[in-house]
Amino acid sequence: MQQRPLGPFTVSAIGLGCMNLSHAYGQPPSPEAGRELLARALDLGCTLFDTAALYGFGANEELVGPVLKPHRSKITLCSKGGMAGVQFPDGVKRVIDGRPEAIRRNCEDSLRRLGTDVIDLYYLHRWDKQVPIEESVGEMSRLVAEGKVRTLGLSEVSAATLRRAHAVHPITALQTEYSLWTRNPEIAVLDACRELGVAFVAFSPVARGFLGTLSDVSGFDAKDIRRSMPRFTPGHYAANRALLAPVQALADARGVTVAQLALAWLLHRGEHIIPIPGTTSVAHLEDNLAAADLALSADEMALLDGAINQRSVQGTRYNSTTQAEIDTEEFSA
């Protein structure tokens, strides 16, 4: 497995986003299947594992922790706080809360569920716009001073917010969606990360299945978050699927999958970029990690750039409610 720097750590060039094993895309796999996939990732040389307090409202950390514990000194463990499940009279609901006391509570809960004394990279999952970023990162820096966290990260923030946070405490990584069909980081964040020496961690690098094997959006589970994403509505999705023809042709010519091309494209975009695809399939995991060794020519990069981009894709990334919660730059209409 190729390696890349992530702050003080050296990690596999492609990591594993663990969310799918407990959260977001409908009925998750059984815990046994989840443990099998995590074990296979370890066997294949994956050393970067990404989870969060939100995923399954703690269930993902409880799944991941015991599997990774025997390998703790050989892997980089990442989790996130500032957005978690909170118990209400009518059930557990997602709440964004960047107050210092909430971040501390989230972190201590994560440490307990993960069965570890320290989290290598701890992200602010979402910037709570009711709380100055300096206050949230200030509390996170105290977690570093206390030895509960080694390094800090941010998720779904703009270059301006990154700079404000970095002035309080060095930020090791910024995590945002980035793929052929989501190019928002190219507006400002990628350059800011490069300038500040911050690693860029790309989540949903195969576009939530669009650049994988997802062909039909009519059968989504009732709890699948893609049901509320405009790009996955039937009309938009049919138009977006049509964009894949030249990409599929290149994949066929190279004897690889579209997902492998998409991951290799990201790796070629910059040495500071680390994709973290998630999957519930061992076969897809093996394909994804193999993409670290796929070399692309300048002509192939240009073909991929031109086929699927912010000008050709139909539908916004999030609906208006979710969009209001994030801080990433957006292309003008």
mmCIF file of all heavy atoms in Angstrom, residues 171-201:
data_model
loop_
_atom_site.group_PDB
_atom_site.id
_atom_site.type_symbol
_atom_site.label_atom_id
_atom_site.label_comp_id
_atom_site.label_asym_id
_atom_site.label_seq_id
_atom_site.Cartn_x
_atom_site.Cartn_y
_atom_site.Cartn_z
ATOM 1 N N ILE A 171 -4.115 22.816 12.780
ATOM 2 C CA ILE A 171 -5.071 21.851 12.252
ATOM 3 C C ILE A 171 -4.308 20.854 11.379
ATOM 4 O O ILE A 171 -3.573 21.246 10.467
ATOM 5 C CB ILE A 171 -6.173 22.556 11.440
ATOM 6 C CG1 ILE A 171 -6.944 23.545 12.326
ATOM 7 C CG2 ILE A 171 -7.123 21.529 10.818
ATOM 8 C CD1 ILE A 171 -7.646 22.934 13.516
ATOM 9 N N THR A 172 -4.485 19.585 11.659
ATOM 10 C CA THR A 172 -3.772 18.532 10.929
ATOM 11 C C THR A 172 -4.473 18.158 9.632
ATOM 12 O O THR A 172 -3.816 17.892 8.622
ATOM 13 C CB THR A 172 -3.613 17.296 11.833
ATOM 14 O OG1 THR A 172 -2.649 17.601 12.842
ATOM 15 C CG2 THR A 172 -3.146 16.078 11.043
ATOM 16 N N ALA A 173 -5.813 18.138 9.649
ATOM 17 C CA ALA A 173 -6.550 17.677 8.469
ATOM 18 C C ALA A 173 -7.879 18.404 8.351
ATOM 19 O O ALA A 173 -8.503 18.753 9.357
ATOM 20 C CB ALA A 173 -6.796 16.171 8.543
ATOM 21 N N LEU A 174 -8.283 18.623 7.133
ATOM 22 C CA LEU A 174 -9.615 19.130 6.825
ATOM 23 C C LEU A 174 -10.314 18.076 5.981
ATOM 24 O O LEU A 174 -9.762 17.604 4.985
ATOM 25 C CB LEU A 174 -9.535 20.457 6.072
ATOM 26 C CG LEU A 174 -10.865 21.202 5.875
ATOM 27 C CD1 LEU A 174 -10.608 22.701 5.743
ATOM 28 C CD2 LEU A 174 -11.618 20.709 4.649
ATOM 29 N N GLN A 175 -11.515 17.718 6.381
ATOM 30 C CA GLN A 175 -12.263 16.663 5.695
ATOM 31 C C GLN A 175 -13.520 17.248 5.060
ATOM 32 O O GLN A 175 -14.304 17.932 5.716
ATOM 33 C CB GLN A 175 -12.652 15.573 6.706
ATOM 34 C CG GLN A 175 -13.415 14.423 6.095
ATOM 35 C CD GLN A 175 -13.704 13.307 7.077
ATOM 36 O OE1 GLN A 175 -14.781 12.728 7.065
ATOM 37 N NE2 GLN A 175 -12.736 12.983 7.930
ATOM 38 N N THR A 176 -13.669 16.994 3.765
ATOM 39 C CA THR A 176 -14.831 17.485 3.023
ATOM 40 C C THR A 176 -15.096 16.517 1.877
ATOM 41 O O THR A 176 -14.192 15.826 1.406
ATOM 42 C CB THR A 176 -14.575 18.906 2.477
ATOM 43 O OG1 THR A 176 -14.563 19.833 3.559
ATOM 44 C CG2 THR A 176 -15.640 19.365 1.514
ATOM 45 N N GLU A 177 -16.331 16.494 1.417
ATOM 46 C CA GLU A 177 -16.652 15.686 0.243
ATOM 47 C C GLU A 177 -15.868 16.194 -0.963
ATOM 48 O O GLU A 177 -15.835 17.383 -1.244
ATOM 49 C CB GLU A 177 -18.147 15.739 -0.047
ATOM 50 C CG GLU A 177 -18.553 14.863 -1.230
ATOM 51 C CD GLU A 177 -20.055 14.814 -1.448
ATOM 52 O OE1 GLU A 177 -20.815 15.381 -0.639
ATOM 53 O OE2 GLU A 177 -20.470 14.184 -2.441
ATOM 54 N N TYR A 178 -15.245 15.272 -1.696
ATOM 55 C CA TYR A 178 -14.501 15.632 -2.902
ATOM 56 C C TYR A 178 -14.483 14.427 -3.826
ATOM 57 O O TYR A 178 -14.110 13.328 -3.422
ATOM 58 C CB TYR A 178 -13.082 16.062 -2.556
ATOM 59 C CG TYR A 178 -12.278 16.636 -3.708
ATOM 60 C CD1 TYR A 178 -12.882 17.335 -4.749
ATOM 61 C CD2 TYR A 178 -10.891 16.491 -3.742
ATOM 62 C CE1 TYR A 178 -12.132 17.872 -5.788
ATOM 63 C CE2 TYR A 178 -10.126 17.027 -4.763
ATOM 64 C CZ TYR A 178 -10.753 17.717 -5.793
ATOM 65 O OH TYR A 178 -10.003 18.250 -6.820
ATOM 66 N N SER A 179 -14.912 14.652 -5.046
ATOM 67 C CA SER A 179 -14.922 13.606 -6.065
ATOM 68 C C SER A 179 -15.080 14.280 -7.417
ATOM 69 O O SER A 179 -15.210 15.510 -7.503
ATOM 70 C CB SER A 179 -16.080 12.627 -5.834
ATOM 71 O OG SER A 179 -17.325 13.269 -6.076
ATOM 72 N N LEU A 180 -15.110 13.495 -8.464
ATOM 73 C CA LEU A 180 -15.328 14.055 -9.790
ATOM 74 C C LEU A 180 -16.601 14.888 -9.846
ATOM 75 O O LEU A 180 -16.640 15.915 -10.515
ATOM 76 C CB LEU A 180 -15.398 12.932 -10.839
ATOM 77 C CG LEU A 180 -14.070 12.307 -11.249
ATOM 78 C CD1 LEU A 180 -14.312 11.016 -12.021
ATOM 79 C CD2 LEU A 180 -13.251 13.282 -12.090
ATOM 80 N N TRP A 181 -17.642 14.490 -9.131
ATOM 81 C CA TRP A 181 -18.900 15.235 -9.243
ATOM 82 C C TRP A 181 -19.113 16.262 -8.127
ATOM 83 O O TRP A 181 -20.087 16.985 -8.133
ATOM 84 C CB TRP A 181 -20.084 14.304 -9.397
ATOM 85 C CG TRP A 181 -20.767 13.745 -8.192
ATOM 86 C CD1 TRP A 181 -20.312 13.651 -6.910
ATOM 87 C CD2 TRP A 181 -22.083 13.183 -8.190
ATOM 88 N NE1 TRP A 181 -21.252 13.054 -6.112
ATOM 89 C CE2 TRP A 181 -22.358 12.760 -6.868
ATOM 90 C CE3 TRP A 181 -23.071 12.997 -9.160
ATOM 91 C CZ2 TRP A 181 -23.558 12.158 -6.501
ATOM 92 C CZ3 TRP A 181 -24.261 12.389 -8.787
ATOM 93 C CH2 TRP A 181 -24.493 11.980 -7.486
ATOM 94 N N THR A 182 -18.177 16.357 -7.175
ATOM 95 C CA THR A 182 -18.233 17.388 -6.141
ATOM 96 C C THR A 182 -16.883 18.088 -6.094
ATOM 97 O O THR A 182 -15.925 17.570 -5.513
ATOM 98 C CB THR A 182 -18.573 16.784 -4.764
ATOM 99 O OG1 THR A 182 -19.893 16.231 -4.815
ATOM 100 C CG2 THR A 182 -18.534 17.841 -3.674
ATOM 101 N N ARG A 183 -16.813 19.275 -6.695
ATOM 102 C CA ARG A 183 -15.541 19.969 -6.879
ATOM 103 C C ARG A 183 -15.367 21.186 -5.962
ATOM 104 O O ARG A 183 -14.431 21.952 -6.124
ATOM 105 C CB ARG A 183 -15.420 20.428 -8.327
ATOM 106 C CG ARG A 183 -15.517 19.338 -9.384
ATOM 107 C CD ARG A 183 -14.352 18.364 -9.298
ATOM 108 N NE ARG A 183 -14.322 17.517 -10.474
ATOM 109 C CZ ARG A 183 -13.609 17.786 -11.569
ATOM 110 N NH1 ARG A 183 -12.869 18.867 -11.635
ATOM 111 N NH2 ARG A 183 -13.649 16.967 -12.602
ATOM 112 N N ASN A 184 -16.280 21.365 -5.002
ATOM 113 C CA ASN A 184 -16.232 22.556 -4.157
ATOM 114 C C ASN A 184 -14.860 22.828 -3.523
ATOM 115 O O ASN A 184 -14.458 23.990 -3.423
ATOM 116 C CB ASN A 184 -17.291 22.454 -3.060
ATOM 117 C CG ASN A 184 -18.671 22.178 -3.602
ATOM 118 O OD1 ASN A 184 -18.924 21.083 -4.097
ATOM 119 N ND2 ASN A 184 -19.559 23.147 -3.525
ATOM 120 N N PRO A 185 -14.110 21.796 -3.094
ATOM 121 C CA PRO A 185 -12.800 22.087 -2.501
ATOM 122 C C PRO A 185 -11.845 22.814 -3.448
ATOM 123 O O PRO A 185 -10.906 23.473 -2.977
ATOM 124 C CB PRO A 185 -12.267 20.694 -2.141
ATOM 125 C CG PRO A 185 -13.501 19.885 -1.902
ATOM 126 C CD PRO A 185 -14.472 20.371 -2.953
ATOM 127 N N GLU A 186 -12.079 22.714 -4.741
ATOM 128 C CA GLU A 186 -11.195 23.370 -5.699
ATOM 129 C C GLU A 186 -11.352 24.890 -5.692
ATOM 130 O O GLU A 186 -10.500 25.602 -6.224
ATOM 131 C CB GLU A 186 -11.445 22.811 -7.100
ATOM 132 C CG GLU A 186 -11.104 21.334 -7.217
ATOM 133 C CD GLU A 186 -11.484 20.725 -8.566
ATOM 134 O OE1 GLU A 186 -11.921 21.483 -9.461
ATOM 135 O OE2 GLU A 186 -11.349 19.491 -8.710
ATOM 136 N N ILE A 187 -12.432 25.400 -5.072
ATOM 137 C CA ILE A 187 -12.640 26.845 -5.025
ATOM 138 C C ILE A 187 -11.546 27.511 -4.187
ATOM 139 O O ILE A 187 -10.965 28.513 -4.601
ATOM 140 C CB ILE A 187 -14.033 27.188 -4.462
ATOM 141 C CG1 ILE A 187 -15.127 26.575 -5.350
ATOM 142 C CG2 ILE A 187 -14.219 28.698 -4.325
ATOM 143 C CD1 ILE A 187 -16.528 26.676 -4.758
ATOM 144 N N ALA A 188 -11.280 26.977 -2.992
ATOM 145 C CA ALA A 188 -10.321 27.632 -2.097
ATOM 146 C C ALA A 188 -9.668 26.700 -1.086
ATOM 147 O O ALA A 188 -8.519 26.920 -0.696
ATOM 148 C CB ALA A 188 -11.008 28.782 -1.349
ATOM 149 N N VAL A 189 -10.383 25.669 -0.648
ATOM 150 C CA VAL A 189 -9.906 24.854 0.476
ATOM 151 C C VAL A 189 -8.657 24.057 0.139
ATOM 152 O O VAL A 189 -7.731 23.960 0.960
ATOM 153 C CB VAL A 189 -11.044 23.933 0.978
ATOM 154 C CG1 VAL A 189 -10.497 22.774 1.786
ATOM 155 C CG2 VAL A 189 -12.022 24.741 1.832
ATOM 156 N N LEU A 190 -8.585 23.478 -1.046
ATOM 157 C CA LEU A 190 -7.400 22.693 -1.399
ATOM 158 C C LEU A 190 -6.142 23.549 -1.348
ATOM 159 O O LEU A 190 -5.104 23.123 -0.830
ATOM 160 C CB LEU A 190 -7.559 22.078 -2.791
ATOM 161 C CG LEU A 190 -8.466 20.857 -2.912
ATOM 162 C CD1 LEU A 190 -8.557 20.424 -4.367
ATOM 163 C CD2 LEU A 190 -7.977 19.706 -2.041
ATOM 164 N N ASP A 191 -6.225 24.752 -1.876
ATOM 165 C CA ASP A 191 -5.064 25.645 -1.863
ATOM 166 C C ASP A 191 -4.724 26.081 -0.445
ATOM 167 O O ASP A 191 -3.541 26.177 -0.083
ATOM 168 C CB ASP A 191 -5.331 26.871 -2.731
ATOM 169 C CG ASP A 191 -5.288 26.557 -4.221
ATOM 170 O OD1 ASP A 191 -4.737 25.496 -4.588
ATOM 171 O OD2 ASP A 191 -5.798 27.367 -5.011
ATOM 172 N N ALA A 192 -5.751 26.356 0.370
ATOM 173 C CA ALA A 192 -5.491 26.750 1.756
ATOM 174 C C ALA A 192 -4.818 25.624 2.524
ATOM 175 O O ALA A 192 -3.887 25.859 3.311
ATOM 176 C CB ALA A 192 -6.791 27.165 2.429
ATOM 177 N N CYS A 193 -5.263 24.406 2.309
ATOM 178 C CA CYS A 193 -4.639 23.254 2.965
ATOM 179 C C CYS A 193 -3.178 23.118 2.549
ATOM 180 O O CYS A 193 -2.296 22.903 3.398
ATOM 181 C CB CYS A 193 -5.406 21.977 2.632
ATOM 182 S SG CYS A 193 -6.990 21.798 3.485
ATOM 183 N N ARG A 194 -2.916 23.257 1.268
ATOM 184 C CA ARG A 194 -1.550 23.144 0.771
ATOM 185 C C ARG A 194 -0.666 24.226 1.394
ATOM 186 O O ARG A 194 0.471 23.961 1.821
ATOM 187 C CB ARG A 194 -1.542 23.250 -0.758
ATOM 188 C CG ARG A 194 -0.184 22.963 -1.391
ATOM 189 C CD ARG A 194 -0.244 23.073 -2.895
ATOM 190 N NE ARG A 194 -1.039 22.017 -3.507
ATOM 191 C CZ ARG A 194 -2.239 22.195 -4.041
ATOM 192 N NH1 ARG A 194 -2.809 23.387 -4.037
ATOM 193 N NH2 ARG A 194 -2.893 21.182 -4.584
ATOM 194 N N GLU A 195 -1.178 25.438 1.460
ATOM 195 C CA GLU A 195 -0.419 26.559 2.018
ATOM 196 C C GLU A 195 -0.106 26.355 3.493
ATOM 197 O O GLU A 195 1.015 26.660 3.954
ATOM 198 C CB GLU A 195 -1.217 27.851 1.836
ATOM 199 C CG GLU A 195 -0.590 29.072 2.484
ATOM 200 C CD GLU A 195 -1.528 30.259 2.506
ATOM 201 O OE1 GLU A 195 -2.450 30.327 1.671
ATOM 202 O OE2 GLU A 195 -1.346 31.120 3.390
ATOM 203 N N LEU A 196 -1.078 25.851 4.258
ATOM 204 C CA LEU A 196 -0.923 25.715 5.703
ATOM 205 C C LEU A 196 -0.302 24.391 6.130
ATOM 206 O O LEU A 196 -0.056 24.190 7.325
ATOM 207 C CB LEU A 196 -2.293 25.877 6.381
ATOM 208 C CG LEU A 196 -2.974 27.240 6.211
ATOM 209 C CD1 LEU A 196 -4.400 27.189 6.763
ATOM 210 C CD2 LEU A 196 -2.177 28.348 6.881
ATOM 211 N N GLY A 197 -0.074 23.490 5.180
ATOM 212 C CA GLY A 197 0.459 22.173 5.520
ATOM 213 C C GLY A 197 -0.566 21.267 6.157
ATOM 214 O O GLY A 197 -0.240 20.407 6.991
ATOM 215 N N VAL A 198 -1.829 21.432 5.761
ATOM 216 C CA VAL A 198 -2.937 20.645 6.285
ATOM 217 C C VAL A 198 -3.296 19.548 5.282
ATOM 218 O O VAL A 198 -3.439 19.817 4.081
ATOM 219 C CB VAL A 198 -4.166 21.555 6.536
ATOM 220 C CG1 VAL A 198 -5.377 20.738 6.955
ATOM 221 C CG2 VAL A 198 -3.837 22.615 7.584
ATOM 222 N N ALA A 199 -3.437 18.335 5.740
ATOM 223 C CA ALA A 199 -3.863 17.251 4.851
ATOM 224 C C ALA A 199 -5.332 17.442 4.496
ATOM 225 O O ALA A 199 -6.129 17.914 5.308
ATOM 226 C CB ALA A 199 -3.657 15.901 5.525
ATOM 227 N N PHE A 200 -5.687 17.072 3.266
ATOM 228 C CA PHE A 200 -7.083 17.127 2.844
ATOM 229 C C PHE A 200 -7.604 15.700 2.742
ATOM 230 O O PHE A 200 -7.099 14.900 1.947
ATOM 231 C CB PHE A 200 -7.230 17.836 1.498
ATOM 232 C CG PHE A 200 -8.667 17.955 1.071
ATOM 233 C CD1 PHE A 200 -9.427 19.062 1.415
ATOM 234 C CD2 PHE A 200 -9.289 16.930 0.360
ATOM 235 C CE1 PHE A 200 -10.761 19.158 1.061
ATOM 236 C CE2 PHE A 200 -10.620 17.008 -0.001
ATOM 237 C CZ PHE A 200 -11.360 18.132 0.355
ATOM 238 N N VAL A 201 -8.606 15.379 3.548
ATOM 239 C CA VAL A 201 -9.192 14.044 3.578
ATOM 240 C C VAL A 201 -10.523 14.096 2.831
ATOM 241 O O VAL A 201 -11.436 14.829 3.213
ATOM 242 C CB VAL A 201 -9.387 13.557 5.026
ATOM 243 C CG1 VAL A 201 -10.094 12.218 5.052
ATOM 244 C CG2 VAL A 201 -8.027 13.455 5.725
#
